[in-house]
Amino acid sequence: MHRRGPGRPHRSGPARNATAQTRRPAAGRRQLLRRLQRHRHPDPRRPHRPPAARIRRARRAARDGSQPGIRRTSSEPAVLRVIWPCCGFPSGSHQFRGLIDALGSHYRLIAPDHPGFGHTQAPHDFTYSFDRVADITEGFVRSLGLDRFVMYVFDFGAPIGFRIADRHPEWIAGLVVQNGNAYEEGLSEAARGLLGLTPDTPGAEDAIQGLLTFDGTRSQYETGVPDRDLVAPDGYTLDQHFLDLPGRKEAQQALLFDYHTNVELYDHWHAWLRRHTPPTLITWGSNDPFFPEPGARAYLRDVPDAELHLFDTGHFALETHLPEIAPLIADFLDRAWK
């Protein structure tokens, strides 16, 4: 089933994907919908309740001294279906705060901050590359004893996640892809220009550093959003706080210079998708200035049974469409988990 946002369905594909009804008990579904409704229409008479999540650092540092920050559900649900969200540039695990709040009573969500992001601490001489970040994330998964989960890939989290999936296909119960590109046609001209920069390109560092300012960070949240009032300032303000910490902008710059290694692996990941055919849900902000809509549709070549939903929003689709996306993820988990 392919959909362009709520209310404008485009149906195709096998009948088994044509259902939109969740298989969760009615009482649990009503609770989920009430929680999502509060995200869309908060009641000013009720005090704000913080998300059902806790943030901590891993008890043991990796061998190189890095300690991942973790945002996770505060209690274990009765049915243990694990979601592993991989955050994107320039954000951290806090981008999943609303999703954890909405789904945390039914599913176990564990969202790490990658080295160079959020609450994670890394040694000053850490080498920032996608291979190295994937190594740290893989070690962190092992340290938690996880051996099966649905992986949520977004932005930088997609190349990190696909590296892990390639190493451990047995870990992957399914994929939720939200503006996580893995295709040449999913790169806009702006993205190609940015990702084509090298340390030897004249003016490259100035171009990247300009993107890491407060105005640059805010624009990533608001570009492509029809109504910017839907974007709360919390996300980009916290992103900028972390970006302004010592060494963080240099970390992001190093990863941008290394992004070409992801493009070089695209064909390999396409083959992985065709070989393993994981259950896949694609939710995509169609107006993403970096990863436009063709990148979402391209997945259907390699995973033709994937379920695709397109939304009239930008890069950070959860910021504007959480009430629409969270039930899709819940329904997908109930159907995909085996």
Side-chain angles (χ1 to χ4, degrees), residues 147-165:
D147 57 11
R148 193 75 170 160
F149 49 85
V150 168
M151 188 163 58
Y152 185 126
V153 294
F154 167 74
D155 193 84
F156 276 15
I160 295 167
F162 277 122
R163 280 172 167 81
I164 293 171

Side-chain angles (χ1 to χ4, degrees), residues 132-143:
R132 191 72 193 99
V133 172
D135 291 342
I136 296 297
T137 305
E138 178 187 0
F140 181 47
V141 173
R142 291 182 181 278
S143 74

Side-chain angles (χ1 to χ4, degrees), residues 208-277:
I208 292 174
Q209 292 302 313
L211 188 65
L212 302 177
T213 63
F214 179 81
D215 287 343
T217 300
R218 180 174 180 174
S219 71
Q220 292 189 59
Y221 277 76
E222 295 184 342
T223 300
V225 177
D227 182 1
R228 294 184 177 185
D229 288 340
L230 293 175
V231 180
D234 309 48
Y236 56 77
T237 301
L238 190 55
D239 281 350
Q240 196 60 42
H241 162 75
F242 287 122
L243 281 173
D244 290 338
L245 294 177
R248 290 299 181 88
K249 292 180 179 179
E250 291 75 14
Q252 299 299 326
Q253 179 173 290
L255 288 171
L256 285 168
F257 283 149
D258 190 57
Y259 201 92
H260 68 93
T261 64
N262 303 326
V263 181
E264 293 161 5
L265 287 169
Y266 280 176
D267 288 344
H268 182 73
W269 295 337
H270 303 163
W272 185 93
L273 289 168
R274 292 192 299 270
R275 183 166 62 253
H276 296 285
T277 60

Side-chain angles (χ1 to χ4, degrees), residues 51-56 70-76 100:
R54 59 186 178 190
I55 305 169
R56 65 177 178 84
I70 313 162
R71 186 179 299 260
R72 61 188 299 177
T73 45
S74 57
S75 59
E76 298 301 328
I100 292 175

